Structure formats: structure tokens, C-alpha cells
Amino acid sequence: MSVHNRDSPERFEPASVVMAHALSARDLADQLNVQPTTGLAAGAALQRKNQFGPNQLPSPPQRQAWQVFAAQFKSILILILAGASGLSALIGNVKDALVILAVMLINATVGFYQEWRAEQSLAALKEMLPQRARVRRESEKLDIAAADLVPGDVVLLEAGDSVPADGRLWFAVGLEVDESALTGESQPSAKQTDNLHAVETVLADRSNMVYMNTLVTRGRAEIIITSTGVRTEMGRLSLKLAATTEVPTPLQVQLDGLGKRLGTIALALVGLLALIEFIRGTALAHIAIDAIALGVAAMPEGLPVVVTVTLALGMRNMARQHAIVKRLASVETLGCTTVICSDKTGTLTLNQMTVCEFWYQGQHFAVTGEGYGLSGEIRAAMDTATAIATAVLPNLEPLMTVIVSCNDSHIAAGKAIGDPMEAALLVLAHKGATHGSTAQPLLRSAEIPFDSAHKFMATFHPDAAQAQVQIFIKGAPDVLLERCNQALGGNGPHALTAATRQQINAQYQALGEKGLRGLLVASRSINASDFDPAADLMVWMGELTVVGLVGLMDPPRSEARIAIAQCAQAGIEVKMITGDHQMTALAIARDLGLKGQAMTGAELDRIKPAELPAVIKDVSVFARVTPSHKVAIVRA
């Protein structure tokens, strides 16, 4: 790639930015001819926009009203009826001609009304997408339309922002991004700025990249835009989907076949009648009139109206279930379904992280209730390691205080504002309140934000007397456990023995086998006189006390289990296609009642396209796949 002066009139060609994850941020900035601290010049931005076009995903042009209306007359049966109407008028049977014409217009009007309303609804949904982005240009921070972004722009992101285009991170603090729309992973992905040396790193593991239409759940960052519009990962997926040809629905095929058969039979009968009358010496004018009358009578003019009204009723019933059907004839297609390929996150699952169980003071507890709803309870469960089953819960206050204090999220109207995992912990604390816990977040004086390098978050809380500082930590068990030397018991902290470590590791492994994400909660108390919030806080990340181990997951939808069971009874196969890890996908699939083999995206890459239909027939779970894999599976 050649590097040009910022004000050069030469065309800018970012040939290798598709491999941006394998480049350092500095090398990428040089290739894109931009200084991240100052951003692009206005002239360079305008030149690149003229070259690459607006940062928008491709979409087919919206049909005009007359096009939607004209599409209602494409059926062969309708065309035959139109011919019958014309022939009726030709022989002077104006009444029949008008009746057939009225039937055709009623049929077209009903179909037009339903399809036009559906298209307008879809257009309204598209208008709701975010259209703004914060960029740095010529050292100034500007708020511009996302469509005006170009390769090389420096975009500023923070929690709650939707990523406006594909970009390489050059600065990030505690950044996590929900990439479920692209990868299918239910848990936010931790991000960092180091380059990944492996060029073939799969999209879900590119921790130094962010992609269009994903959501920042935590932290803040600055990215260098590498791709816009159709060149983004979402854009490539849109092009692949747009390349698929629209085929007639089974009902349309059957109606066209019926029209052809009726037309053939009518022509044969008309020809036979004409031949007989000609042999009998009937006048040619009379033969023509009889032939036309018979042909018109053979056409079922009421059939299109019956079909259209039935489909319109089906479309209305689906609308009541909050499903928009763009084409009227597509309603019937559902009745011909033999295989359903479904995403996992947000479709088969709630896309709301939930604490399903936790380990605390040597006991194992189950948690009922799903998602961010506050209903549910905590109950003791049989633990094979400790053989404890009791209806009396211990004091949950120490655990709940940690998870509400070491937390930056909140829940509003049933939705998580911030990190979904932290919101799930707040829901757990609410459920703990029904068992006597009154945990409230403590005043925070300092914190260590979560970072993928150390894989934990820590907060510091002075007590009312300013004598002690409580440190609350949560993070990856495999990292935090090595920093712990005590464990919390019923009578307070005690030495963390080898047996207890083994028990915690066994609990962590058991969570993973169930598809749960394990989260270790720990604490420490230090003298306030020794604490300086401006100093290096990492020095206190040792000699910690294990408080508990929490297992979280994005739970299956209860209605999805019922739907899958009904599909099985109807002979319909359901296949889960997700970008999530294989173990997590398998655990969800088994919970939902899906049977069959599992296959990963890497395994799919080793199969020839011609062999794919036969190979995937017995596979019910596809894990760690990319959007390209999803398209290939559906085509197969």
C-alpha cells in the first residue's frame, strides 16, 4: 500500500486494512495516513467520502406503491382471469366481464394494502437506527452523521454507544462490546489495543477490533475506522444476503401450476367442443361464442380472492404476535417448513444474563427466575462435593454487599444499563433481599476498572470511621484464585487450604460443563492509614479472601422449549447456529431439547460446499461460526 500526503489529490487505497487486527495501531495509522491525536483534515475526509461513498449498509430500493399494486397481477391464474374478462367483453357478456374484473381488483387491493403496510412498517423501523458519531477531526471533537464517516476517521466511543463502522482500537479503558448481533456470543467481548500476530484469527477472537452495529457495554475507547459501508463485516453479510435469489413460495408454485392445468384443460375442451360443432355444421360465429363462454366458465374467478383473504387473515394474526410479513404469499410458507435455522442469542435465549447458581460458604445454591425480571428466589441445592442440602440459607450479606458495590450497572424498565453481567448480579442481590439481605452499595473512593490484561475489577470503600478500607473484587476465577489466601466461612475468614482450592476449582469446572460463566467474588480489608487512592492500587491485589463463586448464563426462553418440542412433533428440524463457544451452545441446546451432533466453524471450513448438505444433515448445533458460515448453512 502506498502512503500519501494528507492533502494529496491521489486516490487513497486501503488495500490491507481488512487485516488490521494483525497490525499495530501505529502501523495502521501510518497506512491510513492519519494522526490519532488530531484526526483527519476536512479536505481528506471529503475526498475519501467522495471515493468510498456514504457509510451505509446496502439496501434494495423501496418499491413504489404502483409497483406493489402491479405485483398482485403476476400470477398466471390472474392473467388467465384477465384474458377471460376480455373474451367475455368481446362476445358481449359485459356482466361477466365486469364481475371478473371486480374480483381481480378486490384481490389486488387486499394484497396491496397488506404488503404496502408491511413495507412502510419496515421502513419506519430502519429510521429508528442511530445515525450519529463522535469523531476527532483537525484536533476538534465533532458530532457528525454516521453516514459521513470515512476510513481513517478517529471515532470516540463510550458505554451505550453503537459502533458506527469497523475500526481498530488504538486507545481503550475497560472496554467491553456486545457483539452478539455479529458473532452470536451472549457475553460482551473484552477488548484491548495490542496487535494479534495471527492473520487467520477468527472474527470473534479479534479483541483489538470493533464492528459496525455492535454495542459498547462498558468502558471507553477511540478507534481508527478501517472500513465503512459495504466494506464492513455487516456490509459483506448484507451483500451475501442480497445476492440470494427470491424464489416463489410453495403456494405460488401450486397456484401457477393450477392455472396452467386449468388453462390446458379449458383449451382442450374448447377445442373438442369447437370440433364437434364444426362437424355438426354449426355456424362459425356460434362456435366462437360457445367456445369463449365455456373457457370463461372453466376459470375459478373466486379462487384468488379466497386465497388472498385467507393469507391476509394469516398476516393479521402474525402482526398480533409482533411479526411483520413483507410478502403476503410468505404467510403460507411457514406451513411448508421442514428445517428452521435459528440464531441462539436473543432468539432461543433471552439475551439477558442471569445468575443461575452460586457457591457460598461451602454450599451450592440454585437461583430461580430468568433475565432482568426481579421475580425468583434463592434455594439451597444438593452439592455432590459437600453433600449439603438445607432449607436454611446462611447470611448472604457479605456476598451481596460485594456484588452491589463492585458494580457500575443499573436496571431500568427491565433493561440493563451498562454491563449485562453486572446487571445480573444486581438482580441476584434483589432476590437475596427476600432472604433477609439488605446489602446496599458502599461509598467508593477508588477503583481498578476491568481490563482484559488482569481480568478483574476492584473497588475501594472506606468505612464510616475512616479506619478501614474495604476492597471488593470480582473477576475470572482462574486468575483471582491465585491471589487469594483465605476463604469466607460461617465463622469468618479461614486459611484457604488445598482441599478448599480443589473444591472451588471443581465448582468452576462444573459451571463450565453446564455452559455457565464462572465469576469469583473476593474481598480484603486494609488500614485506611496505609491507603493512598492516587498510588498504584494493584499492590493491594493479593492476600484476598474468597467470598463466593457465581455462575451466569443467557438462559433459554421457556417458550423456545415449547416451540422446539412442537416442531419435533410436526416433523420440523431445528438447528442452532451461533458464534458462541461450543460448550455453551451445547449446554443451551440440550436444555432446549435439541438432539444431534455439534460442529464448529473451523470444521465447516474443511468441508467442500458440494459435500455440505450431506454432512450437516445430522448436525443440530453449529458453534463458533461467522455470518458467512450462516449463509452457507442456510443455502445447503
Side-chain angles (χ1 to χ4, degrees):
M1 173 185 296
S2 59
V3 178
H4 306 299
N5 181 273
R6 181 177 302 176
D7 297 319
S8 170
E10 297 180 75
R11 289 175 61 83
F12 172 75
E13 298 292 346
S16 66
V17 293
V18 291
M19 301 301 177
H21 60 277
L23 301 174
S24 68
R26 183 67 266 168
D27 288 344
L28 180 67
D30 289 342
Q31 288 199 16
L32 292 171
N33 197 19
V34 62
Q35 289 294 334
T37 55
T38 58
L40 290 175
L46 179 60
Q47 176 186 332
R48 295 183 186 186
K49 184 180 179 182
N50 292 335
Q51 178 180 349
F52 295 106
N55 175 39
Q56 294 175 336
L57 293 180
S59 59
Q62 185 176 353
R63 294 188 299 173
Q64 300 296 321
W66 69 268
Q67 292 174 314
V68 177
F69 186 77
Q72 310 305 315
F73 296 93
K74 289 184 177 180
S75 169
I76 291 179
L77 189 58
I78 294 294
L79 295 177
I80 292 176
L81 287 177
S85 176
L87 291 174
S88 295
L90 183 65
I91 63 174
N93 199 343
V94 179
K95 182 184 295 185
D96 285 351
L98 291 177
V99 168
I100 296 174
L101 183 61
V103 167
M104 293 171 54
L105 290 176
I106 292 173
N107 178 78
T109 302
V110 172
F112 164 77
Y113 172 74
Q114 296 290 348
E115 291 191 12
W116 180 251
R117 189 172 62 172
E119 292 205 2
Q120 293 299 105
S121 298
L122 290 173
L125 288 175
K126 292 179 180 179
E127 292 298 322
M128 296 171 62
L129 296 177
Q131 300 291 325
R132 310 297 296 178
R134 294 188 303 278
V135 301
R136 179 181 294 119
R137 287 183 179 175
E138 296 182 337
S139 300
E140 293 186 6
K141 295 180 181 179
L142 306 174
D143 185 279
I144 67 171
D148 294 334
L149 289 175
V150 297
D153 258 327
V154 178
V155 175
L156 287 63
L157 299 172
E158 59 185 33
D161 287 345
S162 177
V163 180
D166 291 2
R168 169 68 160 85
L169 290 161
W170 81 275
F171 169 79
V173 177
L175 186 69
E176 289 189 357
V177 180
D178 179 1
E179 296 181 330
S180 58
L182 190 62
T183 67
E185 289 197 24
S186 56
Q187 302 166 6
S189 301
K191 298 294 183 177
Q192 50 84 36
T193 57
D194 296 336
N195 59 303
L196 306 174
H197 298 288
V199 173
E200 65 277 6
T201 304
V202 297
L203 186 143
D205 293 332
R206 295 176 187 173
S207 57
N208 58 7
M209 297 288 296
V210 292
Y211 297 98
M212 175 186 276
N213 287 355
T214 57
L215 181 67
V216 178
T217 60
R218 170 188 281 176
R220 56 190 179 89
E222 295 185 11
I223 64 172
I224 303 173
I225 297 299
T226 57
S227 304
T228 58
V230 296
R231 298 172 183 83
T232 63
E233 292 295 332
M234 282 290 185
R236 294 190 186 98
L237 177 59
S238 297
L239 290 176
K240 288 184 178 181
L241 293 177
T244 58
T245 56
E246 185 175 332
V247 297
T249 68
L251 180 61
Q252 289 175 320
V253 172
Q254 292 171 3
L255 287 177
D256 286 348
L258 176 62
K260 291 176 181 177
R261 288 193 297 272
L262 287 176
T264 302
I265 293 173
L267 286 175
L269 291 176
V270 167
L272 180 60
L273 175 65
L275 179 62
I276 293 174
E277 289 191 337
F278 180 76
I279 295 174
R280 293 175 61 183
T282 306
L284 292 178
H286 190 69
I287 292 175
I289 293 174
D290 287 347
I292 292 173
L294 179 60
V296 172
M299 294 298 103
E301 62 271 7
L303 180 59
V305 174
V306 172
V307 171
T308 300
V309 171
T310 302
L311 293 177
L313 291 174
M315 179 181 278
R316 187 182 67 174
N317 289 336
M318 294 187 69
R320 289 175 177 174
Q321 301 297 323
H322 309 293
I324 297 176
V325 180
K326 188 175 181 181
R327 295 286 190 271
L328 191 63
S330 299
V331 174
E332 179 270 344
T333 308
L334 294 175
C336 301
T337 300
T338 56
V339 179
I340 295 177
C341 294
S342 173
D343 190 20
K344 175 182 72 70
T345 305
T347 306
L348 297 177
T349 65
L350 291 171
N351 199 19
Q352 295 183 359
M353 293 298 292
T354 305
V355 176
C356 299
E357 52 188 80
F358 64 92
W359 179 88
Y360 175 66
Q361 293 189 11
Q363 299 185 42
H364 181 206
F365 300 94
V367 185
T368 63
E370 298 176 342
Y372 301 136
L374 301 180
S375 60
E377 62 176 1
I378 299 171
R379 62 171 183 265
M382 178 64 72
D383 189 319
T384 55
T386 59
I388 293 176
T390 174
V392 179
L393 296 181
N395 178 21
L396 299 175
E397 198 82 15
L399 174 64
M400 301 305 172
T401 300
V402 175
I403 64 177
V404 299
S405 299
C406 188
N407 199 309
D408 290 330
S409 295
H410 66 278
I411 300 173
K415 295 183 179 180
I417 309 300
D419 183 69
M421 179 198 68
E422 291 188 339
L425 295 178
L426 294 182
V427 174
L428 174 63
H430 178 87
K431 294 173 182 177
T434 63
H435 297 280
S437 172
T438 58
Q440 296 294 327
L442 303 182
L443 181 65
R444 185 187 305 183
S445 61
E447 67 178 276
I448 299 176
F450 177 87
D451 190 274
S452 57
H454 51 250
K455 295 184 179 180
F456 62 80
M457 172 185 179
T459 55
F460 297 76
H461 311 270
D463 62 14
Q466 299 292 318
Q468 296 285 315
V469 174
Q470 296 290 327
I471 307 175
F472 298 148
I473 311 100
K474 68 177 190 295
D478 54 343
V479 173
L480 275 187
L481 191 58
E482 297 301 320
R483 297 175 178 267
C484 298
N485 63 352
Q486 294 188 103
L488 185 65
N491 298 320
H494 56 80
L496 186 60
T497 63
T500 305
R501 287 182 183 273
Q502 185 177 1
Q503 183 184 11
I504 296 173
N505 282 322
Q507 290 284 339
Y508 180 40
Q509 183 177 357
L511 293 177
E513 291 173 352
K514 297 177 184 177
L516 301 179
R517 177 183 181 182
L519 188 71
L520 191 70
V521 178
S523 66
R524 182 182 179 181
S525 180
I526 60 176
N527 293 326
S529 58
D530 299 331
F531 176 65
D532 180 5
D536 182 13
L537 302 178
M538 292 295 290
V539 299
W540 304 111
M541 294 299 100
E543 301 180 3
L544 306 178
T545 299
V546 175
V547 177
L549 181 65
V550 177
L552 308 97
M553 74 181 304
D554 179 13
R557 293 180 181 271
S558 56
E559 61 269 28
R561 294 189 187 96
I562 299 173
I564 289 175
Q566 291 174 339
C567 286
Q569 292 175 354
I572 300 173
E573 297 181 49
V574 178
K575 298 182 184 294
M576 176 195 294
I577 309 178
T578 177
D580 217 337
H581 294 277
Q582 185 173 6
M583 184 177 293
T584 302
L586 271 174
I588 295 292
R590 299 300 177 252
D591 194 0
L592 288 168
L594 289 177
K595 301 178 182 179
Q597 303 174 13
M599 182 177 287
T600 65
E603 293 171 320
L604 286 171
D605 289 333
R606 294 193 288 269
I607 301 174
K608 296 180 180 179
E611 301 172 353
L612 196 57
V615 173
I616 68 174
K617 183 178 180 181
D618 298 324
V619 179
S620 61
V621 178
F622 297 90
R624 215 61 178 160
V625 298
T626 65
S628 298
H629 289 135
K630 294 182 180 182
V631 174
I633 292 168
V634 171
R635 285 177 175 170

